[in-house]
Amino acid sequence: MIDLVQEQINKFISITKKELESKLSNDRENIVIVSYYPTYRSQYGELIERLMERYNVIVVYSMKCNDEFEKKGHHSMFIPWIIVENNQTYYLNMDIPNIDLIITADEVGYLEGKIDKTFLSKTAKRIYLPHRLNGACGNLEYHTGVLVPSKRALEGFKEKDSNKLIKCGYPQLDYAIKNYTFKDTNTICYAPTLRYVEYDRKANVNIFAGLEILIIEWLLKNTTFNIVYRAHPLAFSNNHSYYKTILSRFRDEKRFSFNNSIGYDFFNNISFMITDWSSTSRLFSYTTLRPCLFFMPYPMNDSELANGEYVFSDLRASSLESLKKLMDNIDYKKEEARYKQMREDEVYNIGKSCEAILDYIGDILGG
């Protein structure tokens, strides 16, 4: 018996393929920006707008968020790469000729990378825009090129001399710096990294939500700051159960607010950030030249501390008492000098990453 779900999916694929093909240009090279998840939509900075000046740009997203990203490009389309129905997984793939280049800021890793290598096209060149500013990110096997943002990120790749590693910079950072204007509102940001919680385990929900609630309550009691809670984008986009618990607990707290925006405009009002281990920490500090404090009760090994990818040992607290001491003794001028020097030393093409990427794209499409 024919799978009725698969039959409907095949019809959707046929209709969607024709629609996407109708948006392809015969006069310009065609670039498709693919967003598998909503997590890293801000990675592009002004890159999409710059690409539109030279190429026909189509934005494809697999999850609807009704955000600004879905309005970008000359055209935009909703095309899921996966559907789960009745515990059965279906992969929506199609091979569309005349797509010259596919750019993405995330990977799925499904079917040993087959989705990443063939989604929408088996022949298009593919570029990966990493989300980690100071660390290696991206499978070189999947892509024609990986746009490396910094020296430390380059060092993280084993294949340092691979011609797939392109020293381009970080469009998201350029955009954040360009639009940063600090206004002191006596506000700090607590931004923990992603918490993986089994939905059917209330005990795990209690562990994560309980930990977060205790930290937030402590901050409210022991400081006079306003607190912005910035969960990992997957937490609020997937409405994780522990996130809903925290939302409910502090809904009426006047000094507390949630931030779930895709971009980073909220940086403008943040005096400093607190996290555990998150790439947002470096984006924040390189943008604002203000410190991020790391609350990490579990002891890290020497190699993790020495790596310095995100965590500075002198800004790491292993207890709430030591966190309070760090907060009370921030030397903003010292931290500004530190991050400014690191930004200049580490990041490629500060303020000019889009130009570097456009040059590279011109080379690979012309070659």
Side-chain angles (χ1 to χ4, degrees), residues 244-261:
K244 290 190 292 184
T245 301
I246 300 169
L247 182 65
S248 176
R249 168 63 182 80
F250 294 102
R251 190 182 302 276
D252 298 322
E253 173 58 55
K254 294 181 180 180
R255 286 171 50 212
F256 186 85
S257 62
F258 289 81
N259 183 281
N260 57 5
S261 61

Side-chain angles (χ1 to χ4, degrees), residues 304-342:
E304 289 175 317
L305 287 174
N307 179 271
E309 183 176 309
Y310 302 127
V311 182
F312 294 119
S313 58
D314 63 320
L315 295 180
R316 173 182 170 267
S318 58
S319 67
L320 292 172
E321 181 182 7
S322 57
L323 178 61
K324 185 64 165 63
K325 289 181 180 178
L326 287 178
M327 295 169 66
D328 290 342
N329 292 282
I330 293 175
D331 185 336
Y332 286 101
K333 289 186 178 180
K334 174 185 174 183
E335 297 305 328
E336 179 180 356
R338 164 157 58 178
Y339 285 111
K340 185 176 182 180
Q341 188 63 55
M342 288 185 63

Side-chain angles (χ1 to χ4, degrees), residues 20-161:
L20 200 156
E21 287 176 332
S22 71
K23 300 180 186 304
L24 298 176
S25 171
N26 294 321
D27 304 317
R28 286 181 162 191
E29 284 105 339
N30 295 289
I31 295 180
V32 176
I33 309 292
V34 173
S35 170
Y36 296 106
Y37 303 105
T39 314
Y40 303 120
R41 292 184 177 184
S42 61
Q43 296 298 120
Y44 298 93
E46 296 180 336
L47 180 60
I48 296 176
E49 290 80 0
R50 296 296 306 278
L51 288 169
M52 291 172 64
E53 297 170 4
R54 304 185 188 182
Y55 306 102
N56 181 48
V57 179
I58 303 169
V59 170
V60 169
Y61 51 94
S62 293
M63 294 180 67
K64 293 182 179 180
C65 299
N66 297 315
D67 58 8
E68 288 301 315
F69 177 83
E70 295 172 12
K71 302 174 185 178
K72 291 189 174 184
H74 294 104
H75 312 279
S76 64
M77 292 184 63
F78 168 67
I79 307 178
W81 62 274
I82 188 173
I83 290 177
V84 179
E85 186 73 25
N86 298 324
N87 295 319
Q88 178 70 36
T89 300
Y90 301 88
Y91 299 101
L92 279 70
N93 211 343
M94 56 197 82
D95 186 16
I96 300 175
N98 300 325
I99 295 178
D100 298 287
L101 176 66
I102 293 175
I103 303 176
T104 187
D106 47 7
E107 299 172 333
V108 299
Y110 275 59
L111 302 179
E112 299 181 342
K114 180 180 179 181
I115 304 300
D116 297 283
K117 291 184 284 188
T118 65
F119 184 63
L120 300 182
S121 173
K122 295 180 181 179
T123 59
K125 294 179 172 63
R126 293 176 182 267
I127 290 178
Y128 180 64
L129 189 68
H131 68 272
R132 297 179 70 182
L133 177 54
N134 269 45
C137 184
N139 192 320
L140 299 184
E141 179 186 351
Y142 302 164
H143 309 288
T144 307
V146 174
L147 307 179
V148 182
S150 67
K151 294 178 181 177
R152 192 177 292 275
L154 185 66
E155 292 170 1
F157 285 97
K158 294 181 179 179
E159 299 179 48
K160 294 181 181 179
D161 297 325

Side-chain angles (χ1 to χ4, degrees), residues 93-363:
N93 211 343
M94 56 197 82
D95 186 16
I96 300 175
N98 300 325
I99 295 178
D100 298 287
L101 176 66
I102 293 175
I103 303 176
T104 187
D106 47 7
E107 299 172 333
V108 299
Y110 275 59
L111 302 179
E112 299 181 342
K114 180 180 179 181
I115 304 300
D116 297 283
K117 291 184 284 188
T118 65
F119 184 63
L120 300 182
S121 173
K122 295 180 181 179
T123 59
K125 294 179 172 63
R126 293 176 182 267
I127 290 178
Y128 180 64
L129 189 68
H131 68 272
R132 297 179 70 182
L133 177 54
N134 269 45
C137 184
N139 192 320
L140 299 184
E141 179 186 351
Y142 302 164
H143 309 288
T144 307
V146 174
L147 307 179
V148 182
S150 67
K151 294 178 181 177
R152 192 177 292 275
L154 185 66
E155 292 170 1
F157 285 97
K158 294 181 179 179
E159 299 179 48
K160 294 181 181 179
D161 297 325
S162 171
N163 57 14
K164 290 187 175 183
L165 300 174
I166 314 303
K167 303 174 185 178
C168 284
Y170 206 60
Q172 184 182 26
L173 176 62
D174 289 347
Y175 181 82
I177 292 173
K178 180 180 177 181
N179 292 278
Y180 176 66
T181 304
F182 178 66
K183 180 180 180 181
D184 191 354
T185 59
N186 194 44
T187 300
I188 63 175
C189 178
Y190 176 49
T193 191
L194 180 62
R195 315 301 199 190
Y196 290 97
V197 178
E198 297 176 33
Y199 291 97
D200 58 344
R201 292 279 305 201
K202 298 298 184 184
N204 288 344
V205 174
N206 285 333
I207 289 172
F208 283 116
L211 172 64
E212 303 291 69
I213 288 171
L214 286 173
I215 293 173
I216 295 165
E217 287 180 338
W218 181 87
L219 288 169
L220 289 170
K221 181 180 179 180
N222 291 276
T223 78
T224 60
F225 290 108
N226 300 308
I227 313 297
V228 171
Y229 182 76
R230 172 77 174 185
H232 189 281
L234 280 180
F236 54 76
S237 63
N238 291 334
N239 207 17
H240 282 179
S241 51
Y242 83 88
Y243 177 74
K244 290 190 292 184
T245 301
I246 300 169
L247 182 65
S248 176
R249 168 63 182 80
F250 294 102
R251 190 182 302 276
D252 298 322
E253 173 58 55
K254 294 181 180 180
R255 286 171 50 212
F256 186 85
S257 62
F258 289 81
N259 183 281
N260 57 5
S261 61
I262 295 296
Y264 292 93
D265 290 342
F266 72 98
F267 281 1
N268 293 332
N269 301 318
I270 304 300
S271 295
F272 62 90
M273 180 178 284
I274 300 174
T275 187
D276 46 358
W277 182 279
S278 171
S279 58
T280 300
S281 66
R282 197 52 58 87
L283 177 65
F284 170 78
S285 292
Y286 278 179
T287 299
T288 67
L289 303 180
R290 289 177 167 269
C292 182
L293 308 183
F294 298 87
F295 180 60
M296 308 182 73
Y298 192 83
M300 299 176 65
N301 60 46
D302 291 340
S303 63
E304 289 175 317
L305 287 174
N307 179 271
E309 183 176 309
Y310 302 127
V311 182
F312 294 119
S313 58
D314 63 320
L315 295 180
R316 173 182 170 267
S318 58
S319 67
L320 292 172
E321 181 182 7
S322 57
L323 178 61
K324 185 64 165 63
K325 289 181 180 178
L326 287 178
M327 295 169 66
D328 290 342
N329 292 282
I330 293 175
D331 185 336
Y332 286 101
K333 289 186 178 180
K334 174 185 174 183
E335 297 305 328
E336 179 180 356
R338 164 157 58 178
Y339 285 111
K340 185 176 182 180
Q341 188 63 55
M342 288 185 63
R343 187 175 72 182
E344 293 174 355
D345 291 343
E346 286 285 334
V347 184
Y348 297 123
N349 298 303
I350 287 286
K352 299 180 180 179
S353 61
C354 287
E355 284 76 5
I357 294 170
L358 287 168
D359 287 345
Y360 170 64
I361 289 175
D363 289 342

